[in-house]
Amino acid sequence: MNKKREIQSSVKDESLIEKRRAQMIRGAVTLFKEKGFHRTTTREIAKASGFSIGTLYEYIRTKEDVLYLVCDSIYDEVHARLDALDVDTGSLDVLITAIEHYYSLIDDMQDEYVVMYQESKSLPKDALRYVLDKEMEMVSLFERLLTECADSGEIAMAPKEIKLAANHLFVQGQMWAFRRWALRDYTIQEFIELQTKFLLQGMAGEKTTLRGG
């Protein structure tokens, strides 16, 4: 697992740091989405977070630090939701559940995803590398699940097909954040069920059915 990029803080209370940075993330996401990263000032982030500019700088050093925190919060939440699954004994049921958890997360963090992909280019090189590596780490989790399903005979896919399929299902879920305006006729549950159906049909043939389907 990639080591987190250290963000300096003059505050020593870890619980307070976590609380204040969570406030910053919420405030910054709205501003970055509405105005863009470069047009948003740290003073505006502080105000949206509910504290002064002086307090803001007790917990971060630069505006780029806040953008990094936004990106990293997504991966922390992905881990929190998927780590509870038994991904080491992959099966179609586990794969379907993992997709559901991941796509539901995208629904909960739509603005964060949009900001991450629109603005991550503004991160320092080391932070951008970390973010990209974390994304590939998430893709690798699905690749591992697909490999387990192939090894057990539940799907018939070659290694190259598995790699592409893992990237495909990862990106397809993000459609919910980027094209929500075009998908307003669907509920998140309908989106998850149809996307999973399409993905599994492509992996295992037309006869693949979902639980309860």
Side-chain angles (χ1 to χ4, degrees), residues 149-160:
C149 290
D151 289 345
S152 67
E154 292 186 274
I155 62 173
M157 299 184 76
K160 273 195 160 183

Side-chain angles (χ1 to χ4, degrees), residues 42-79:
T42 51
R43 189 171 297 279
E44 288 172 325
I45 295 171
K47 183 178 179 180
S49 304
F51 40 75
S52 69
I53 186 70
T55 299
L56 181 85
Y57 281 116
E58 291 179 2
Y59 297 93
I60 53 99
R61 289 292 177 268
T62 67
K63 187 169 66 171
E64 286 78 10
D65 285 346
V66 182
L67 178 57
Y68 168 80
L69 289 171
V70 171
C71 297
D72 201 42
S73 68
I74 294 174
Y75 299 117
D76 284 344
E77 192 60 33
V78 171
H79 272 299

Side-chain angles (χ1 to χ4, degrees), residues 78 82 98-106 113 142 170 174:
V78 171
L82 297 186
I99 292 172
E100 181 178 9
H101 285 201
Y102 174 56
Y103 287 12
S104 295
L105 168 65
I106 294 171
Y113 269 94
F142 285 106
F170 192 81
Q174 295 167 357

Side-chain angles (χ1 to χ4, degrees), residues 35-209:
K35 302 182 63 175
F37 174 77
H38 290 293
R39 292 178 58 203
T40 299
T41 67
T42 51
R43 189 171 297 279
E44 288 172 325
I45 295 171
K47 183 178 179 180
S49 304
F51 40 75
S52 69
I53 186 70
T55 299
L56 181 85
Y57 281 116
E58 291 179 2
Y59 297 93
I60 53 99
R61 289 292 177 268
T62 67
K63 187 169 66 171
E64 286 78 10
D65 285 346
V66 182
L67 178 57
Y68 168 80
L69 289 171
V70 171
C71 297
D72 201 42
S73 68
I74 294 174
Y75 299 117
D76 284 344
E77 192 60 33
V78 171
H79 272 299
R81 298 200 187 191
L82 297 186
D83 282 354
L85 298 176
D86 188 6
V87 295
D88 292 325
T89 53
S91 66
L92 276 181
D93 278 348
V94 174
L95 175 62
I96 291 167
T97 301
I99 292 172
E100 181 178 9
H101 285 201
Y102 174 56
Y103 287 12
S104 295
L105 168 65
I106 294 171
D107 182 48
D108 292 341
M109 303 184 76
Q110 292 179 46
D111 289 347
E112 285 88 341
Y113 269 94
V114 170
V115 166
M116 180 176 70
Y117 282 107
Q118 286 183 342
E119 305 295 349
S120 59
K121 61 183 179 295
S122 300
L123 287 169
K125 286 185 177 180
D126 65 319
L128 178 59
R129 183 71 262 165
Y130 171 86
V131 168
L132 295 177
D133 286 347
K134 290 293 288 185
E135 175 147 324
M136 291 313 300
E137 186 179 306
M138 298 298 101
V139 173
S140 295
L141 185 148
F142 285 106
E143 191 173 343
R144 190 162 73 250
L145 282 173
L146 289 167
T147 299
E148 292 284 343
C149 290
D151 289 345
S152 67
E154 292 186 274
I155 62 173
M157 299 184 76
K160 273 195 160 183
E161 293 173 323
I162 287 172
K163 186 177 184 67
L164 188 58
N167 280 277
H168 183 72
L169 71 86
F170 192 81
V171 172
Q172 284 297 95
Q174 295 167 357
M175 180 197 301
W176 186 252
F178 293 114
R179 292 188 59 79
R180 187 69 190 92
W181 58 271
L183 300 172
R184 56 184 177 272
D185 292 336
Y186 299 86
T187 67
I188 181 58
Q189 197 56 42
E190 288 172 333
F191 176 80
I192 291 170
E193 289 175 0
L194 287 171
Q195 287 285 34
T196 306
K197 177 182 178 181
F198 297 154
L199 289 163
L200 293 186
Q201 283 178 345
M203 294 171 191
E206 291 289 333
K207 294 182 180 180
T208 300
T209 58

